[in-house]
Amino acid sequence: MAKPLLKIQRYFRRKPVRFFSLILLYLTAGSLVFLHAGFVGDNGPGARGGRDSLIASEMGSWASSDTRGLGLMSRVFKEKRRSGRRFGPPWMKKSRQEGLGMVGRGRDYTSNWNRALKGRNAKDLDDGRAKYIGCYIDDTQKRALRGVSFFDYKKMTVFRCQDNCAERGYMFAGLEFGAECYCGHKIQAPNASDSECNMECKGEKSNVCGGPNRLSIYRLELSQESARRYGSAIFKGCFHQPDNVTLALPFSAVIQNMSVDKCVDMCTEREKSLAVLAGDRCYCGFPTPLFSLHELEDEGMCLNRCQGEEFESCGNDKYFVVYQTQVQDNRCMDRHFLPTRAKQLVALASFPGAGNTWARHLIELATGFYTGSYYFDGSLYNKGFKGERDHWRSGRTMCIKTHESGRKEIEAFDSSILMIRNPYKALMAEFNRKYGGHIGFASQAHWRGKEWPEFVKNYAPWWASHTLDWLHYGRNVHVVHFEDLKRDLFTKLKGMVEFLGLKVSEDRLLCVEGQKDGNFKRSGLRKLEYDPYTPEMRSNINELIRTVDAALKKRNMSGVPEEYMPR
């Protein structure tokens, strides 16, 4: 035995490179085996935590007079045994195996919706999102569309231009020279022959993107949530003059031939987030308790044509027209880890697609402290959620994002903010995230294929059981409905901050209102042209809504908002 070993030793002395190569291959093989065991192994049974009895008790209180509902729920909530590993909510396990969901403590996001749109002629498309209206002359000295613009000489497409303009609230999107995108509220140029718009898009050869000094213009069908804009400024509305205007809006000047552009430019140069037009006087400032922009007036009170712009109103000495400039309000932008480690863990719990990331953005701006996560998402960390990298038990963050819903996971937290969203909206949002990323969209192929029915079948029951679990096992649960937060952000966010045990700064909350969307808001343009829910899907989801509504009321909480309830 000694002689063969001695021969091997002498061989590797003469060939050290081969020796080290062999060692490297051995270590690589061991690492692969270890990773495979970490992600695939441990499929043993886990504690079910009495969930079946919990759901049955919830249903018993509501569906005692409806045996059909009880039969449906016993069918819908039938649960598989769960693994004891903590790689995400139980309904993600199947997605992980299919390569669609969480991987380790991170998530895998794809961005493939645009591929399904390739090859479709945009001129022929009128699906409720955008309509081609013609070819127009464009003058470099006097643009036909005078909003924002951007260029991409390699990857410009019609849909990319439309989405960018829609995201900023413009009514029209125009493409020129195959690579240039222009946005605007009105077309200020004559039209031309369609034959003059003859250049292919740089990123989509099957579609036309204008021509030399010619714009292919589309009218965008925006959602009601899209902001109204004038160039780069966001229209906030008509407001009554504040009681102490000099204190509320400390800087002002009289402008000859007043226009929205002139006032916005002046306030931008002064680094103020509000441009306020009052006849020939322009005020600049920030939202404060003295001028909070909460009491909106009828726009007719501000009708007073600007001297330098015939299509716009400039308000008067009693009613002001307000625009938000591109200047960032820095009063709520500073964020830190907690100065001392928290002794209690607060969960920010929600079903996927219910606005958890948006709520984290709001909480961080309102409190000045980072939020953490039960998982790790590199894309969120890169977008500024620095608490994403901390372990969820570190105690350095204000609250912890989680989608978990098992008893053991819930009881690990001392209190929780429970976000609930209309399941019809939440399911679609999560489906878009799964197939298009945080601000992308699932493709038409995914919506019309087998992925969507399978997704609804697996995820819809978890929308209800997630809420029921947190209501049953959670300690000190503060319920926030996504729709209520959108409608009355100031009041609802103030309640969330108070629940977290912090003193509320009204100036900081007003600052949050001005930049509430963050980096994770989908544009209002790319909406489906049909209802993706079948009658059977709606019947099942409506039963789930009634169950959650009854569970909330049983605990002396307000039920789900009216728009959830089936009609």
Side-chain angles (χ1 to χ4, degrees), residues 351-411:
F351 175 79
N356 200 306
T357 300
W358 180 54
R360 290 179 67 185
H361 166 74
L362 297 176
I363 290 171
E364 290 195 2
L365 295 187
T367 65
F369 295 112
Y370 289 120
T371 59
S373 177
Y374 199 72
Y375 322 103
F376 172 69
D377 187 331
S379 66
L380 293 181
Y381 179 83
N382 293 333
K383 289 288 187 179
F385 289 94
K386 300 305 180 185
E388 191 77 14
R389 184 171 285 180
D390 265 35
H391 189 274
W392 66 280
R393 286 186 178 273
S394 70
R396 299 205 306 158
T397 53
M398 196 69 245
C399 57
I400 313 298
K401 166 188 175 177
T402 179
H403 298 313
E404 303 296 313
S405 59
R407 177 175 183 173
K408 179 181 177 182
E409 290 82 357
I410 293 172
E411 291 182 345

Side-chain angles (χ1 to χ4, degrees), residues 540-560:
N540 291 343
I541 293 172
N542 289 345
E543 297 285 3
L544 300 174
I545 291 174
R546 293 190 185 99
T547 305
V548 170
D549 183 63
L552 290 168
K553 291 177 179 177
K554 183 179 177 180
R555 289 159 178 79
N556 298 318
M557 300 177 180
S558 60
V560 300

Side-chain angles (χ1 to χ4, degrees), residues 479-532:
V479 174
V480 177
H481 293 282
F482 176 88
E483 292 76 13
D484 291 341
L485 185 60
K486 284 186 67 176
R487 271 191 295 265
D488 188 5
L489 186 142
F490 187 91
T491 303
K492 297 301 179 183
L493 184 57
K494 181 179 179 181
M496 293 166 72
V497 174
E498 290 174 341
F499 179 80
L500 292 170
L502 296 180
K503 184 179 179 181
V504 177
S505 166
E506 289 198 11
D507 280 344
R508 196 169 185 111
L509 288 177
L510 291 169
C511 170
V512 175
E513 286 188 311
Q515 39 208 328
K516 60 185 178 182
D517 290 336
N519 296 320
F520 295 96
K521 184 179 186 301
R522 291 182 177 89
S523 75
L525 174 64
R526 195 169 292 281
K527 54 189 178 182
L528 288 177
E529 65 268 28
Y530 69 98
D531 181 0

